[in-house]
Amino acid sequence: MQTVRESLRRVAQEARELYLNDSVPYLDQPPTALELQRSWLCPNKPFIVRNAISHWPAVSKWTASYLREMVGKQMVSVAVTPNGYADAVHEGRFVMPEERRMPFADFLDIIERKRTASGVFYVQKQCSNLTEEFPQLLPDIDPHILWMSEALGKVPDAVNFWLGESAAVTSLHKDHYENMYCVVSGEKHFILLPPTDRPFIPYEFFQPATYKVNEDGSFDVIDLQNAEKVPWIPLDPLNPDFGLYPEYSHARPLYCTVRAGEMLYLPSLWFHHVQQSHGCIAVNFWYDMEYDIKYNYFQFLDSITKAMNTV
């Protein structure tokens, strides 16, 4: 067993040395579709493009007053949690936020501290919430990332709108998408881990539950009945417990900050954790990943890790 663990550590170390940088590279201009395929998509490497979306009208127009005028009366989905962690492990459960429908203007009042409310509020619903809940804002952005769409031969599967408080945090997880993360205002702070670090990242199964806000502002955790347990990462990369998860000490996370006008390409199969500045606005484009040799490699590595952890 120890030999297998040592082998996995060596593989991860060699993989990092062969193809990864010590930091996320910055590009001064977007790559062509061919450059994207050769240098980033095929090697599965992240990068940040400076001034990638500076031409979007949204960068100058999406102030609180503009959003209030354009979308204020619209009913939108808002995630509400006591601690800012939506879709995260809390006290032995995988807890999802209370999803509240409210006028967008009321949400802005909370974000701008014009009214008080219990909990942390975050517009973070996925499944293309920008096109579904904020169609008035679509003329202010590009409908897709041209060079990514050209390289992949398809348009995004979803376009999402994110706006929240600095306390709103996205816990460590992995998506099956090629993710183009565009920051319109403020900044996002990312912790990224490559798929080769999978042996060092703990996965456990948890009872799914949701938060429920009571009239006095307190929160209850309500179990979802007759629901299958959810595999999730219980580790907090901001404060990792090496006593519980000693293997994580072998992981080598990358840290980066994406600022207004910049775009992060977050490859499929990478793990990521996200913090943000207060009132940060972001749009991300999800392109469905290809289930190619990279995916097969990851599944193989995942299976070995699971088998090793059950012995």
Side-chain angles (χ1 to χ4, degrees), residues 47 49 58 86 122 125 161 178 184 206 208 260 272 274 279 283 286-287:
F47 62 87
V49 185
Y122 194 15
K125 187 176 181 179
F161 175 90
E178 307 292 350
V184 176
F206 299 92
H272 57 287
V274 191
V283 173
W286 277 355
Y287 291 82

Side-chain angles (χ1 to χ4, degrees), residues 2-67:
Q2 189 62 29
T3 301
V4 174
R5 290 187 185 278
E6 291 174 354
S7 297
L8 289 173
R9 292 169 189 164
R10 283 199 303 272
V11 168
Q13 180 180 353
E14 291 171 0
R16 287 191 293 262
E17 292 174 351
L18 286 170
Y19 93 104
L20 280 182
N21 301 322
D22 293 331
S23 59
V24 179
Y26 279 83
L27 306 182
D28 289 325
Q29 61 185 15
T32 65
L34 180 58
E35 290 169 342
L36 179 66
Q37 279 285 7
R38 285 179 174 173
S39 301
W40 309 103
L41 276 172
C42 290
N44 202 235
K45 295 169 62 175
F47 62 87
I48 297 171
V49 185
R50 294 187 176 95
N51 298 314
I53 60 169
S54 297
H55 63 285
W56 285 7
V59 174
S60 60
K61 292 173 68 175
W62 283 8
T63 62
S65 59
Y66 176 82
L67 294 176

Side-chain angles (χ1 to χ4, degrees), residues 188-233:
K188 294 272 188 180
H189 310 285
F190 290 83
I191 301 174
L192 308 179
L193 292 120
T196 47
D197 276 358
R198 169 61 185 94
F200 316 131
I201 298 172
Y203 265 98
E204 298 174 17
F205 284 85
F206 299 92
Q207 166 67 41
T210 61
Y211 286 113
K212 180 181 181 299
V213 184
N214 299 312
E215 289 185 3
D216 64 358
S218 64
F219 285 77
D220 289 331
V221 175
I222 309 299
D223 286 346
L224 297 183
Q225 300 300 317
N226 303 316
E228 294 185 359
K229 289 190 174 182
V230 175
W232 205 258
I233 301 168

Side-chain angles (χ1 to χ4, degrees), residues 111-228:
I111 293 295
E112 294 184 289
R113 310 283 198 249
K114 293 180 178 178
R115 55 177 287 197
T116 58
S118 297
V120 178
F121 287 65
Y122 194 15
V123 171
Q124 57 116 55
K125 187 176 181 179
Q126 301 164 25
C127 301
S128 216
N129 73 326
L130 180 59
T131 57
E132 297 298 320
E133 296 191 341
F134 300 89
Q136 304 94 322
L137 301 179
L138 290 174
D140 297 334
I141 68 168
D142 289 340
H144 62 113
I145 307 302
L146 180 61
W147 37 275
M148 176 61 80
S149 299
E150 182 180 352
L152 295 177
K154 57 187 175 184
V155 296
D157 294 85
V159 185
N160 302 310
F161 175 90
W162 309 80
L163 171 58
E165 306 176 59
S166 58
V169 175
T170 303
S171 66
L172 189 63
H173 71 290
K174 173 179 61 66
D175 296 322
H176 289 298
Y177 294 99
E178 307 292 350
N179 191 336
M180 310 302 296
Y181 219 112
C182 307
V183 175
V184 176
S185 65
E187 56 188 35
K188 294 272 188 180
H189 310 285
F190 290 83
I191 301 174
L192 308 179
L193 292 120
T196 47
D197 276 358
R198 169 61 185 94
F200 316 131
I201 298 172
Y203 265 98
E204 298 174 17
F205 284 85
F206 299 92
Q207 166 67 41
T210 61
Y211 286 113
K212 180 181 181 299
V213 184
N214 299 312
E215 289 185 3
D216 64 358
S218 64
F219 285 77
D220 289 331
V221 175
I222 309 299
D223 286 346
L224 297 183
Q225 300 300 317
N226 303 316
E228 294 185 359

